[in-house]
């Protein structure tokens, strides 16, 4: 066993062999750690807020690959795309609860308002993408021919030929 050849290797980068165990430096460190933890939670809340927008390119590619016809595969993708914003917005408070600051209520609507507004807007973009796909598939009544059943015909002009 040649253990002696490994004893003279330098420590890896980032390795600190000196460990401080003084109790006096622990008090200021906890305040800094708490502030750092709150900052980390705010960053994670912003990541969650823009996460629906990050998935938009992949969803747009899936919609493109599903085709323009009305088939079961494309309908399933469109249904999932249209239902996910409603599910996300129904659980917006519970989604942001882990990132709420310690000084406020975690389930309150006024906690992290900017992140929640951005989350709402990103989910509305997802909904708009789904509605655009429905329009391109012909599922939304956008043309005049879609409303013919509700139109009334005018009185025909009376023509008298003698």
């Amino acid at each position: 066993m040649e253990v002696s050849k490994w004893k003279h290797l330098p420590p890896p980068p980032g390795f600190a062999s000196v460990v401080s165990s003084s109790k006096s430096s622990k008090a200021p460190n906890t305040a800094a750690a708490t502030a750092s933890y709150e900052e980390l939670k705010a960053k994670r809340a912003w990541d969650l807020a823009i996460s629906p927008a990050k998935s938009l390119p992949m969803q747009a590619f899936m919609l493109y690959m599903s085709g323009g016809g009305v088939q079961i595969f494309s309908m399933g993708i469109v249904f999932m795309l249209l239902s996910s914003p409603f599910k996300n917005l129904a659980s917006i408070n519970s989604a942001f609860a882990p990132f709420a600051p310690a000084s406020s209520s975690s389930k309150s609507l006024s906690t992290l308002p900017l992140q929640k507004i951005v989350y709402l807007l990103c989910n509305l973009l997802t909904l708009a993408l789904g509605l655009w796909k429905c329009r391109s598939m012909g599922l939304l009544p956008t043309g005049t021919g879609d409303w013919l059943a509700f139109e009334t015909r005018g009185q025909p002009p009376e023509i008298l030929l003698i």
Side-chain angles (χ1 to χ4, degrees):
M1 288 201 178
E2 295 186 28
V3 179
S4 62
K5 70 178 184 177
W6 303 111
K7 287 184 179 182
H8 302 295
L9 287 175
F15 179 75
S17 61
V18 179
V19 177
S20 64
S21 63
S22 65
K23 302 233 181 216
S24 62
S25 67
K26 199 70 170 169
N29 196 11
T30 58
T34 304
S36 174
Y37 184 64
E38 292 297 325
E39 183 180 321
L40 179 65
K41 286 194 324 187
K43 285 182 183 179
R44 295 285 295 143
W46 277 111
D47 286 341
L48 178 67
I50 62 172
S51 64
K54 287 180 182 178
S55 65
L56 276 179
M58 184 61 187
Q59 290 173 341
F61 179 71
M62 286 174 52
L63 289 176
Y64 169 74
M65 293 303 290
S66 69
V70 182
Q71 293 109 9
I72 189 72
F73 183 70
S74 59
M75 291 303 295
I77 290 176
V78 168
F79 175 75
M80 291 305 293
L81 188 68
L82 290 175
S83 65
S84 65
F86 294 111
K87 289 178 187 176
N88 290 343
L89 294 178
S91 63
I92 191 168
N93 286 332
S94 60
F96 282 96
F99 310 117
S103 61
S104 66
S105 172
S106 62
K107 297 276 185 172
S108 174
L109 192 60
S110 63
T111 304
L112 302 169
L114 290 177
Q115 288 91 338
K116 289 181 180 179
I117 290 171
V118 169
Y119 189 71
L120 171 76
L121 291 176
C122 291
N123 277 302
L124 287 178
L125 281 175
T126 305
L127 187 63
L129 182 67
L131 290 176
W132 172 80
K133 181 63 176 181
C134 286
R135 186 193 60 82
S136 68
M137 290 171 64
L139 298 176
L140 292 181
T142 55
T144 57
D146 298 325
W147 301 100
L148 288 178
F150 301 108
E151 288 185 6
T152 58
R153 297 186 64 156
Q155 291 290 333
E158 299 207 359
I159 301 173
L160 182 62
L161 297 172
I162 298 186

